[in-house]
Amino acid sequence: MISIKNLHARIEEKEIIKGLSLEIEAGKVHAIMGPNGAGKSTLASIIAGREEYEVTDGEILMNGKNLLDLEPEERAAEGVFMAFQYPLEIPGVPMNTFMRTALNAQRKLRGEDELDSLAYLKKIKPLAKTLGVSDDMLKRALNEGCSGGEKKRNEVLQMAMLEPTFAVLDETDSGLDIDALRVVADGVNALRNEQRSFLVITHYQRLLDYIKPDVVHVLADGRIVETGGPELALRLEEEGYAKFVGEAA
Amino acid sequence: MSDTAPDNTEIKSHIDALKTYKAGFVTDIESEKAPKGLNEDIVRFISAKKGDPEWLLEWRLKAYRHWETMPDPKWAKLDIPEIDYQDAYYFAAPKMANQPKSLDEVDPKLLETYEKLGIPLREREILAGVAVDAVFDSVSVGTTYKDKLAEEGIIFCSISEAVKEHPELVRKYMGSVVPFHDNKHACLNSAVFTDGSFVYIPPGVRCPMELSTYFRINELNTGQFERTLIIADKGSYVSYLEGCTAPMRDERQLHAAVVELIALEDAEIKYSTVQNWYPGDEDGKGGIYNFVTKRGICAGDRSKISWTQVETGSAVTWKYPSCILKGNDSVGEFYSVAITNNQQQADTGTKMIHMGKNTKSRIISKGISAGKSNQTYRGQVKVLPGAEGARNFTQCDSLLIGKECGAHTVPYIDSKNSSAVLEHEATTSKIADAQLFYCRQRGLNEEEAVALIVNGFCREVMQNLPMEFAVEAQKLVGVSLEGSVG
Ligand SMILES: Nc1ncnc2c1ncn2[C@@H]1O[C@H](COP(=O)(O)OP(=O)(O)OP(=O)(O)O)[C@@H](O)[C@H]1O
Ligand SMILES: [Mg+2]
């Protein structure tokens, strides 16, 4: 269970998150929609622990623990995962090396044994296959020279490997073609279970046809301004954000 | 000055004693050492101690006399205080005096590093300088390898042994690639070198193992003025490994090594180095001055010399492994990773001298600067008039970590043949905060993230290291950069 309470955050002197509250029960999928520049990616980054943003008030509790007290890697080991809107490239580091290092770093932080390369390969091979990530891709330097869509698949593959308890997907659907969208959505759906919570940030109702959300929120000007069921997404598609932007301003 | 100057009468009496005692100095030598300072008598003393033949003594003396006339090289971008050559021992192992008796007496920080690098327990004791005979029978290990090599006709021994057992080879080749007057540091080495390795691979033989996996232990006490000579006869191949990933303790500040490689027709020499001498503390106190002259000659047609180096240690590094491409169709390669942190300084690079027709060279240099450190890549590609169809490719990449470090690239290109094709590429980059955050989001801490990113940056060079060495070298990258972020 994730509970964000009265979160305020700024960068330099500019306040971006302005008293945001949100609760996600275990096993639920929440979607966040909202206009450009509303603070969606900022919220995701703050959940993951990006130090650039200064949190001036509020807390983010995950199963009772305040994530704001933890380093980004400790949050990761606790089960926080963020699929980046713009995944980074790491030249010269093959996806396999990166993934295994990350997996083992998390396991070490949790006091578990490291996976050897055989166990690692056994784990990644079938997942890569269902997500359409080729062997060649796994050997290539992480995200280097990958298309936008390939990078997004890589993000979902990493999520599947790391089996988080709370996954934040920041516009994972943008840049995907129709088929890739379905593959990625299936990947997410396969991970849905009683314990795992998702926060899916998107601009397009279409994604929510594939990943059925339990709750939809509208984020505008650093706050949640509306919360509803899946039908809210359909309404937004028709009406746009004009109403909310006006309200927030 | 007067109280540090060597006491000449004392040395003379040593030398006289040695002259009268013809055969036995080897056994008695352990307890003795030359007084501080350098002069002709010290050179004679060292020569006598090593039991040199006359020609070698003459060579040392010539080098010494020349050395006295030479100024310190000043062209490198290094900030080094004037070296007081008289304030050093040239024949002694001062650390023997306070050698720890077991690992319990060794600095725990050092032991922690060995642990991180995954150095086997048995070797840790030796590396930390624990009295060797107490823990390790290096002789027996050495013999097994030696037998195997001897079957192939390969000679692999200390340079002192080679002087005695294979004088014709040593006389012919020593100083043939790096003449004693080459530069001040090489000149000093020629005068006072006390040990090092000698390798000869007979025609057509492919050396069946990486030379020196065991030597990394053996060579420990000879680091100061080492001299290495490797000869690959026609159509032979050898891969030689120098150094060690573990940080080496040595209280002697000045190191001046010379390495000479000779590849005859169709021969190939691959020379890999991991240099991790003590870099000094965070404030730049202490640390080794590492002045190395490494040069190889592709003497025969279609021969090849490949240098791979991972340089992470020393307070000051001054080093330019070079290739003289004399044979037609010969190939020279230089793959380098240099990491400097804190107050370290490095001026390193290579020289490729194209003499023969269709000679090819390839230079891949990856420099990583962190902390307040500074490094310079200095590379020369020279094409002589006769080098028809020569080709060079140079790629120099610098990675900066933090805001206080510096990286400089100084390429010299000098082509006297219009058919030569020379390509040069250079980049400078930084580790982006966003990259670090990405790694941390996936569970790596800041240091692990930096190590991973830097290893990626160096991949092309690391891939050239022999497998078992590469794994250690990758860990070393992380250890060297500790404390460079956050
Ligand atoms: N590092 C930064 N420095 C300065 N301003 C920033 C920074 N990061 C975000 N902002 C600002 O904060 C606001 C929110 O940005 P954010 O990226 O969170 O929006 P978003 O809702 O994800 O938008 P989009 O739908 O376009 O992805 C914007 O006005 C943006 O310019
Ligand atoms: Mg965004």
Side-chain angles (χ1 to χ4, degrees), chain B residues 282-349:
Chain B
E282 281 123 65
D283 303 319
K285 276 239 270 313
I288 303 289
Y289 292 180
N290 193 31
F291 302 140
V292 188
T293 307
K294 290 184 161 168
R295 195 174 303 150
I297 182 165
C298 286
D301 292 350
R302 295 168 305 279
S303 56
K304 178 174 175 185
I305 289 179
S306 176
W307 299 100
T308 304
Q309 61 173 24
V310 177
E311 301 279 321
T312 64
S314 298
V316 178
T317 299
W318 180 98
K319 182 178 173 187
Y320 317 90
S322 305
C323 298
I324 301 169
L325 304 171
K326 185 162 175 261
N328 294 332
D329 301 295
S330 61
V331 178
E333 292 176 340
F334 175 72
Y335 294 95
S336 170
V337 168
I339 301 180
T340 50
N341 197 358
N342 298 318
Q343 310 270 352
Q344 282 178 281
Q345 306 178 62
D347 195 295
T348 181

Side-chain angles (χ1 to χ4, degrees), chain A residues 71 73 82 92 155 158, chain B residues 435 438 440 442 448 459:
Chain A
E71 297 291 328
E73 60 272 23
M82 168 177 161
E155 293 289 288
Q158 289 183 45
Chain B
Q435 269 180 324
Y438 187 76
R440 293 182 75 188
R442 299 300 189 248
E448 290 166 333
R459 190 163 180 232

Side-chain angles (χ1 to χ4, degrees), chain B residues 31-236:
Chain B
S31 59
E32 300 187 43
K33 68 177 188 189
K36 235 183 204 176
L38 186 57
N39 57 38
E40 220 174 285
D41 286 335
I42 296 273
V43 175
R44 286 179 191 279
F45 175 85
I46 292 168
S47 183
K49 282 286 194 184
K50 301 303 295 180
D52 282 351
E54 197 58 33
W55 64 266
L56 188 50
L57 172 64
E58 283 311 313
W59 195 68
R60 286 180 189 272
L61 287 172
K62 257 201 292 197
Y64 173 73
R65 288 172 196 140
H66 191 79
W67 176 78
E68 278 192 307
T69 68
M70 292 178 96
D72 284 342
K74 284 274 187 298
W75 42 264
K77 193 175 163 51
L78 297 172
D79 178 18
I80 319 167
E82 194 86 29
I83 298 164
D84 183 357
Y85 293 98
Q86 297 306 339
D87 188 30
Y89 290 96
Y90 292 86
F91 190 84
K95 74 173 185 183
M96 293 299 174
N98 46 20
Q99 217 173 14
K101 280 172 199 67
S102 75
L103 279 182
D104 300 340
E105 294 176 28
V106 172
D107 182 0
K109 249 180 148 170
L110 194 67
L111 297 180
E112 207 182 292
T113 310
Y114 293 164
E115 173 100 44
K116 283 184 197 150
L117 291 170
I119 309 279
L121 209 65
R122 225 157 63 130
E123 283 181 30
R124 289 182 206 174
E125 302 186 298
I126 295 152
L127 294 167
V130 173
V132 169
D133 45 41
V135 289
F136 192 82
D137 186 3
S138 62
V139 179
S140 67
V141 178
T143 339
T144 9
Y145 283 98
K146 276 224 167 115
D147 287 351
K148 209 164 155 191
L149 293 173
E151 274 171 38
E152 308 268 4
I154 294 168
I155 306 169
F156 180 33
C157 62
S158 73
I159 195 105
S160 333
E161 195 181 329
V163 166
K164 295 191 182 73
E165 306 294 326
H166 311 282
E168 65 308 330
L169 284 171
V170 177
R171 256 189 114 157
K172 180 166 175 195
Y173 289 110
M174 194 165 75
S176 71
V177 193
V178 180
F180 67 78
H181 51 76
D182 189 82
N183 66 73
K184 187 156 191 183
H185 308 308
C187 201
L188 176 63
N189 175 291
S190 304
V192 302
F193 76 92
T194 46
D195 226 319
S197 322
F198 175 84
V199 176
Y200 172 78
I201 315 288
V205 171
R206 195 180 165 86
C207 186
M209 67 185 84
E210 307 281 349
L211 286 187
S212 170
T213 25
Y214 104 91
F215 240 73
R216 84 167 178 190
I217 294 159
N218 235 24
E219 97 193 316
L220 279 181
N221 293 323
T222 64
Q224 192 176 14
F225 296 109
E226 259 177 291
R227 197 160 181 111
T228 301
L229 178 57
I230 299 177
I231 303 146
D233 213 324
K234 291 181 185 174
S236 68

Side-chain angles (χ1 to χ4, degrees), chain B residues 399-441:
Chain B
L399 185 69
L400 304 174
I401 302 174
K403 294 186 177 66
E404 293 178 281
C405 54
H408 318 271
T409 301
V410 190
Y412 304 90
I413 294 166
D414 176 10
S415 178
K416 297 248 163 20
N417 188 308
S418 58
S419 69
V421 181
L422 311 176
E423 286 172 83
H424 182 95
E425 287 172 16
T427 66
T428 300
S429 53
K430 283 181 179 245
I431 296 185
D433 285 345
Q435 269 180 324
L436 280 179
F437 176 63
Y438 187 76
C439 294
R440 293 182 75 188
Q441 203 305 301

Side-chain angles (χ1 to χ4, degrees), chain A residues 1-5 22-28 47 59-70 74-81 110 163-167 193-198:
Chain A
M1 150 103 170
I2 292 53
S3 164
I4 301 173
K5 292 181 186 159
L22 184 65
E23 299 231 327
I24 308 173
E25 281 173 52
K28 300 289 184 213
I47 293 170
E59 53 188 15
I60 304 176
L61 301 176
M62 185 165 98
N63 301 326
K65 216 179 249 184
N66 189 358
L67 292 180
L68 296 176
D69 296 337
L70 304 179
E74 291 169 333
R75 298 182 198 195
E78 288 286 331
V80 175
F81 179 90
R110 290 194 292 261
E163 302 171 284
T165 44
F166 179 31
N193 69 19
E194 305 276 281
Q195 285 84 43
R196 199 165 279 148
S197 307
F198 290 86

